[in-house]
Amino acid sequence: MKKYLLLVAVFGLSLSALAQQISKKFRLPAEVTASDYIHGKAVIKLNQANSSAILNDGSVTDAKLAKVLGDHSATAARKFPHAKPPGDQTRSGHKFVDLTRIYEITYSSNASLETFLNSLLATGIIEYAEPHYLPRLSYQPNDPSGTASGQWHLNKIKAFLGWDISKGDTSVVIGITDTGTETNHPDLKSNVKINYAEPIDGIDNDNDGYIDNRTGYDVAMNDNNAQWQGNPHGVHVSGLAAAATDNATGIAGVGFKCKFLPVKIADASGALTQAYEGIVYAADHGCKVINCSWGGPGAGQLGQDVIDYATINMDALVIAASGNDGQELDFYPASYDKVISVSSTNQIDTKSSFSNFGYKVDVCAPGSSVYSTYNGTSYSSQSGTSMASPVAAGAAGIIRSQFPGYSALQAGQHLKVTCDNIYTLSGNNAYMNKLGTGRISLQKAVTTTNAKSVELDSKTSTDNNDNAFVINDTIRFRCMYTNYLAALTNLTVTLTSTSTYVTVLDGTTTIGAMATMASSNNNADPFTVKINSNAPQNAVVVFKVTFTDGAYTESRYFSETLNVDYINIDINDVATSITSKGKIGYNQDAQLQGLGFTYLGGATQLYEAGLMIGTSSAAVSDVVRGSGAAGDTDFQSSNVVSKTLPSIESDFDVSGAFSDVPASPTQNLKIMHKAFAWTSAGDRKYVIVEYKIANTGTSSQSNLYAGIFSDWDLLDYAHNKAGYDATEKLGYVFSTDSSLYMGVKVLTQSAPALCYSIDNVTGGSGGVDISGGYTTAQKYTTLSTSRANAGGTGVGNDVCQTVSSGPFTIAAGDTATVAFAILAGDDLNDIKGSAQAAQIKYDGLQPTSVKQVLAENQVVLVPNPVNDGNGQLFMTLASSSEVCVEMIDLTGKQLFVLDRLQLTSGTTAVDLPIAGLASGIYLVKVTTNGMSSIYKLSVN
């Protein structure tokens, strides 16, 4: 079964008490559209410490949450009103899930979904807030080639041979969460699980919270009528899993004697409004297998909580359709951890054209034109992973009957390891290892009595450095394994990859003997993998983990993104990520890829930050949020950001280059950027970033401003204020709930410093209003004008800030330099002290000879670092001069000299003959007017 691996960079820092209070922001995933969730609805889960903030009757005891709900005309109701607190119970090493803290919120304000969810998260008492996702059915329209001539899928999965061994047991119930069933179908009604403790008398006789739920339940309409509405999809699904068999009527369900419990999750139109509630109902009412022939791209923690509850708390195996997009993509609930994801195959055992595929698929089952029960008393052939899933669910019911001692997780593993291999078929060549372990075989499932199955439960990855995996890094993979089935005598685990972008240095570890349900790891003997020099930027590399114990062998797969275009800086009290394209903290929107900005090992306090450069209200190049839902992408990397080894100017030197070629309009800018961090006392609370902005166009750029936009979220982001200290040129944001401060300071002296504080609320509170998007004109306003404060009176609100410098006039071929410190502090005096320390450090980065020469002349090495053998020195002279350029290695050996170069005034490019140089740090000595300056050049 899949094990969802959350790949966490390991830094050895524990979360501080402060970090526990950090609230998050929600951003709707790009793949989710308005049709994928219910408008006016949201789902929240209260933190453990605040579980009494909403009482059972829906009244709210927490003042902050009550205010948010009141502001949005919202009410709260328990999502699972019949759930009981689980305490500290565990099963198979997994802690039970608490559903009592999950609530459905209904609101009627005009606020956007994201605004409402973020208002909820801002209370600081909520574990998660997310949409009420609306999944869709996973079937294709009627296949006209389907006939009633027989159920070909039964022969394909060797059902008849399997039934010779086991026909299942009526005590095993398969939950069908769907649009409902045909309650009077002659091939279904006799196989519905009867709740004998609940006669139809208008009374909740069994005290389960439901009245007259004798033959299933409609959780969407909250009644005891499981008859289908809107779409007979559930009728077809019911028959495939558990139609009455050996009754001389119609068809045979794969589950044979296993009963089924119809759980209607759809409203009268057929919309699946209560999908995950249906899983909980089925689990609570004794289903050992639960089928979900539905799903969608929307995923949140609620879905995983429900799956964990069903699997761990209630020992029910969840089986789900992988989706019908014909693509390799995530589809939920199938892609959740602990779910058996089922793809579809056709009559020749190749992947159905419509079926999704991928490394998260667990098994395949017949799903193309399969024959089953339909509306009224009819039968029909239907196609889809919706059909494949109940075929697999029926087989799982037989497994749970044949092996009653198996847990849900063990039954899922047994289904996987007893599949038939279909990868030898030419039609499946394109989907190698992406159709799970093969097509299910009921015969193998019931006759294999000593099956072995090991899972890769979790994994951590580290390079013992910054955990941003780039060329020449060595990654160490430490994994946790669980043996779910028969005992092992001498397990070995091997890591391999067919990618030429990596070299596996140590790919084997010996685990040895493992008892059933035992867990082990290779922490003491991690796999080691080197990233090769040919790895392209952001290369996704697939790794294969093979388990071997005697004749048993089985493989699992995971992927890792390598040679990433960002660097993590985590050597002092603050930690952040510097990217190759001007973003700070995160490499992608929605807080993906990166550390954000943390202080003292806590959670990130930064939602978004990045460089902005503008020359007018119509021309701003940046990579922060835009006027639409997605962020702007005006910068592209020309030299991937990398760490300089050894660091020379600080304890952690970073450099790279990018341009604004993608911008519309482009300003013809090339930016050479560096970052610096120190470990010394007094210098541990900031990181410095420096940008050398080159005008590569043919005309002068005037009125140019460069600055850093930042959206800080300190603790409860709705309780933030922003201010500016003109003396220190420091823009800062602080939390009114504590003394925590963070901000940005201008370090360069070549142009005035500015700070524009933004109230990130509807209307903008008198400043620019970016609540509906951050336009180019607004960006230039915040770059070129000042607004010292934001947050208003009282506790404050959500705030952003742009700290900038300008105006600059940059002639064609010329450059301007602007630098900033990004800081944190325990109070205002503390952050001001760090700002002063950062200024001293930055001033000290410039050698005396450089200061003397650059008063009139300027030298820039482009690119730096250089990795293709082509480099240039751009020198700007106030008047014509004779120049000497020398290249020296770190031993002092002169590698070449360009002597007596006659350069005219202005900017001249000098080619540096560096092809063939080994990777390393070199010194470029430039002499003019009797003065010499030395510059460092990194060669990769």
Side-chain angles (χ1 to χ4, degrees):
M1 207 173 305
K2 293 176 304 306
K3 294 294 169 184
Y4 238 157
L5 304 179
L6 180 60
L7 307 184
V8 181
V10 180
F11 300 106
L13 296 175
S14 61
L15 289 175
S16 65
L18 185 67
Q20 306 303 323
Q21 306 175 56
I22 304 303
S23 61
K24 304 168 279 281
K25 270 194 175 181
F26 175 85
R27 179 174 289 179
L28 200 64
E31 64 272 17
V32 175
T33 67
S35 64
D36 292 318
Y37 56 87
I38 300 177
H39 295 262
K41 297 281 188 179
V43 177
I44 66 170
K45 186 175 185 181
L46 298 173
N47 292 334
Q48 180 76 51
N50 302 100
S51 58
S52 60
I54 304 176
L55 302 181
N56 287 343
D57 62 3
S59 59
V60 182
T61 62
D62 181 85
K64 290 184 291 185
L65 181 58
K67 184 178 187 305
V68 172
L69 296 181
D71 290 345
H72 293 272
S73 302
T75 58
R78 279 183 60 182
K79 186 78 166 169
F80 307 102
H82 308 297
K84 302 293 190 295
D88 295 325
Q89 297 183 71
T90 61
R91 177 179 281 121
S92 303
H94 300 283
K95 187 176 180 179
F96 276 18
V97 176
D98 186 358
L99 298 183
T100 66
R101 295 186 278 120
I102 302 176
Y103 289 81
E104 179 100 32
I105 308 297
T106 302
Y107 68 100
S108 57
S109 72
N110 293 325
S112 70
L113 174 65
E114 288 188 354
T115 298
F116 181 54
L117 292 177
N118 286 321
S119 296
L120 292 168
L121 288 169
T123 63
I125 68 168
I126 291 173
E127 188 172 307
Y128 58 77
E130 59 190 52
H132 181 135
Y133 286 111
L134 187 64
R136 57 181 180 266
L137 299 172
S138 296
Y139 82 113
Q140 299 289 300
N142 285 1
D143 188 332
S145 66
T147 69
S149 60
Q151 293 178 277
W152 67 266
H153 64 282
L154 296 178
N155 282 313
K156 184 61 67 175
I157 67 170
K158 302 179 180 67
F160 301 103
L161 296 173
W163 291 336
D164 284 341
I165 307 299
S166 174
K167 294 180 176 64
D169 193 278
T170 56
S171 65
V172 173
V173 181
I174 302 170
I176 305 297
T177 61
D178 217 290
T179 60
T181 195
E182 184 62 67
T183 54
N184 290 314
H185 198 292
D187 228 1
L188 295 175
K189 61 182 180 180
S190 64
N191 229 27
V192 173
K193 172 64 178 176
I194 305 296
N195 180 5
Y196 292 102
E198 190 69 15
I200 306 299
D201 58 5
I203 300 173
D204 181 10
N205 293 275
D206 59 1
N207 295 313
D208 68 345
Y210 301 90
I211 296 174
D212 293 350
N213 55 329
R214 184 175 177 83
T215 55
Y217 203 74
D218 182 348
V219 296
M221 309 293 284
N222 196 28
D223 59 47
N224 69 336
N225 185 5
Q227 174 70 17
W228 71 270
Q229 286 179 283
N231 190 327
H233 178 273
V235 184
H236 200 270
V237 169
S238 299
L240 288 171
T245 303
D246 209 12
N247 64 343
T249 302
I251 64 164
V254 176
F256 209 102
K257 289 184 178 180
C258 297
K259 296 292 185 177
F260 79 97
L261 183 69
V263 182
K264 182 170 171 286
I265 60 175
D267 64 15
S269 71
L272 309 185
T273 58
Q274 301 290 304
Y276 289 98
E277 291 86 342
I279 295 176
V280 171
Y281 181 92
D284 285 345
H285 288 81
C287 295
K288 290 299 181 183
V289 178
I290 300 173
N291 183 75
C292 305
S293 289
W294 45 267
Q301 188 55 44
L302 168 71
Q304 188 63 67
D305 273 353
V306 167
I307 298 302
D308 289 348
Y309 173 80
T311 308
I312 299 169
N313 296 36
M314 307 308 296
D315 194 33
L317 176 63
V318 181
I319 295 181
S322 70
N324 297 340
D325 306 278
Q327 301 178 41
E328 182 175 1
L329 48 74
D330 290 342
F331 192 79
Y332 298 92
S335 293
Y336 280 127
D337 183 18
K338 304 180 185 71
V339 178
I340 291 290
S341 173
V342 187
S343 286
S344 172
T345 49
N346 56 29
Q347 296 188 39
I348 58 172
D349 258 349
T350 59
K351 186 189 81 70
S352 302
S353 60
F354 52 77
S355 179
N356 288 350
F357 55 96
Y359 291 114
K360 291 181 181 176
V361 170
D362 292 299
V363 300
C364 290
S368 289
S369 188
V370 288
Y371 192 66
S372 182
T373 49
Y374 214 52
N375 59 302
T377 60
S378 69
Y379 298 84
S380 171
S381 289
Q382 299 283 331
S383 294
T385 55
S386 273
M387 286 62 249
S389 184
V391 171
I398 300 287
I399 291 172
R400 299 217 70 175
S401 304
Q402 180 74 352
F403 304 97
Y406 275 173
S407 68
L409 291 172
Q410 289 176 301
Q413 293 298 316
H414 189 92
L415 179 67
K416 288 177 62 174
V417 299
T418 55
C419 285
D420 284 337
N421 180 14
I422 57 175
Y423 288 115
T424 57
L425 301 175
S426 59
N428 293 328
N429 289 345
Y431 311 106
M432 188 61 61
N433 304 316
K434 296 180 181 181
L435 298 175
T437 54
R439 191 252 310 123
I440 64 169
S441 168
L442 187 59
Q443 179 193 25
K444 282 186 180 179
V446 296
T447 57
T448 304
T449 58
N450 197 35
K452 297 179 180 181
S453 183
V454 182
E455 270 295 349
L456 175 63
D457 278 339
S458 63
K459 174 177 68 68
T460 57
S461 318
T462 179
D463 62 2
N464 286 353
N465 184 11
D466 59 3
N467 292 304
F469 305 139
V470 297
I471 286 173
N472 294 324
D473 274 355
T474 297
I475 311 174
R476 292 158 181 82
F477 294 118
R478 293 176 171 86
C479 306
M480 177 68 71
Y481 316 100
T482 298
N483 175 32
Y484 281 92
L485 298 179
L488 307 174
T489 57
N490 187 30
L491 177 68
T492 60
V493 187
T494 304
L495 180 78
T496 57
S497 177
T498 60
S499 173
T500 60
Y501 303 147
V502 296
T503 299
V504 177
L505 303 177
D506 181 357
T508 302
T509 189
T510 300
I511 302 298
M514 291 184 74
T516 301
M517 293 308 300
S519 295
S520 187
N521 60 67
N522 68 320
N523 291 351
D525 180 26
F527 301 124
T528 55
V529 176
K530 183 179 180 181
I531 305 174
N532 296 335
S533 60
N534 65 330
Q537 187 173 303
N538 297 315
V540 178
V541 173
V542 175
F543 292 94
K544 178 180 180 181
V545 178
T546 302
F547 305 107
T548 305
D549 181 65
Y552 162 72
T553 182
E554 190 175 8
S555 298
R556 296 290 181 264
Y557 299 84
F558 68 86
S559 61
E560 192 85 48
T561 302
L562 307 179
N563 197 24
V564 296
D565 55 347
Y566 66 94
I567 290 288
N568 294 329
I569 301 178
D570 181 39
I571 66 166
N572 54 32
D573 293 341
V574 296
T576 193
S577 300
I578 304 298
T579 75
S580 294
K581 51 184 177 289
K583 293 179 77 71
I584 296 171
Y586 297 103
N587 196 39
Q588 295 182 5
D589 291 344
Q591 297 179 294
L592 299 175
Q593 294 186 357
L595 306 178
F597 192 88
T598 68
Y599 177 52
L600 295 176
T604 181
Q605 311 288 332
L606 180 69
Y607 184 69
E608 178 185 17
L611 178 68
M612 300 196 304
I613 304 174
T615 52
S616 73
S617 60
V620 176
S621 300
D622 68 275
V623 284
V624 299
R625 67 190 63 179
S627 56
D632 287 344
T633 55
D634 296 336
F635 294 135
Q636 73 176 21
S637 172
S638 52
N639 283 86
V640 176
V641 65
S642 62
K643 182 180 180 182
T644 301
L645 297 172
S647 292
I648 294 179
E649 294 173 299
S650 72
D651 296 318
F652 199 108
D653 293 356
V654 171
S655 61
F658 53 87
S659 70
D660 77 333
V661 169
S664 180
T666 180
Q667 300 175 87
N668 298 308
L669 303 176
K670 183 164 185 178
I671 299 97
M672 289 67 69
H673 64 117
K674 293 183 177 182
F676 312 100
W678 290 265
T679 60
S680 54
D683 299 304
R684 297 183 55 82
K685 296 184 179 182
Y686 62 85
V687 171
I688 289 177
V689 289
E690 178 188 73
Y691 304 98
K692 291 187 182 293
I693 304 167
N695 177 5
T696 61
T698 58
S699 59
S700 179
Q701 294 275 26
S702 59
N703 295 317
L704 183 144
Y705 293 84
I708 292 177
F709 167 82
S710 55
D711 182 357
W712 297 104
D713 290 339
L714 276 57
L715 306 183
D716 182 346
Y717 68 85
H719 292 183
N720 286 180
K721 292 190 176 185
Y724 180 61
D725 186 306
T727 302
E728 301 299 337
K729 299 186 292 185
L730 169 66
Y732 57 84
V733 172
F734 65 97
S735 167
T736 60
D737 295 331
S738 75
S739 58
L740 182 62
Y741 278 69
M742 294 192 176
V744 177
K745 168 188 167 53
V746 177
L747 294 168
T748 39
Q749 313 289 334
S750 50
L754 301 96
C755 175
Y756 195 104
S757 300
I758 303 170
D759 286 285
N760 191 18
V761 296
T762 302
S765 294
V768 298
D769 179 6
I770 68 171
S771 61
Y774 198 12
T775 67
T776 299
Q778 289 173 329
K779 289 175 180 178
Y780 190 70
T781 295
T782 59
L783 279 169
S784 59
T785 61
S786 293
R787 184 175 186 252
N789 301 302
T793 59
V795 298
N797 50 245
D798 191 9
V799 298
C800 304
Q801 206 170 51
T802 298
V803 177
S804 60
S805 182
F808 294 91
T809 297
I810 310 178
D814 205 350
T815 63
T817 300
V818 61
F820 306 90
I822 311 175
L823 318 95
D826 297 321
D827 51 45
L828 182 56
N829 286 332
D830 188 31
I831 198 171
K832 286 170 65 175
S834 289
Q836 294 164 4
Q839 188 69 64
I840 293 170
K841 274 293 187 185
Y842 182 72
D843 292 343
L845 290 178
Q846 307 300 326
T848 301
S849 60
V850 173
K851 291 179 182 178
Q852 292 170 341
V853 174
L854 292 191
E856 296 181 352
N857 305 323
Q858 189 170 40
V859 172
V860 178
L861 296 170
V862 179
N864 191 9
V866 59
N867 56 16
D868 61 0
N870 298 313
Q872 289 183 312
L873 179 150
F874 285 85
M875 187 162 189
T876 303
L877 300 174
S879 59
S880 298
S881 302
E882 183 177 277
V883 177
C884 177
V885 179
E886 301 173 73
M887 175 75 85
I888 305 167
D889 66 18
L890 293 182
T891 68
K893 178 182 178 182
Q894 186 185 77
L895 303 178
F896 67 78
V897 58
L898 304 176
D899 201 7
R900 297 185 179 183
L901 299 174
Q902 299 296 324
L903 304 184
T904 60
S905 61
T907 301
T908 304
V910 178
D911 291 330
L912 301 177
I914 59 177
L917 288 180
S919 295
I921 301 298
Y922 297 88
L923 304 178
V924 179
K925 182 179 180 182
V926 180
T927 304
T928 183
N929 299 327
M931 301 284 297
S932 295
S933 302
I934 295 178
Y935 305 89
K936 289 173 287 296
L937 176 66
S938 176
V939 176
N940 290 338

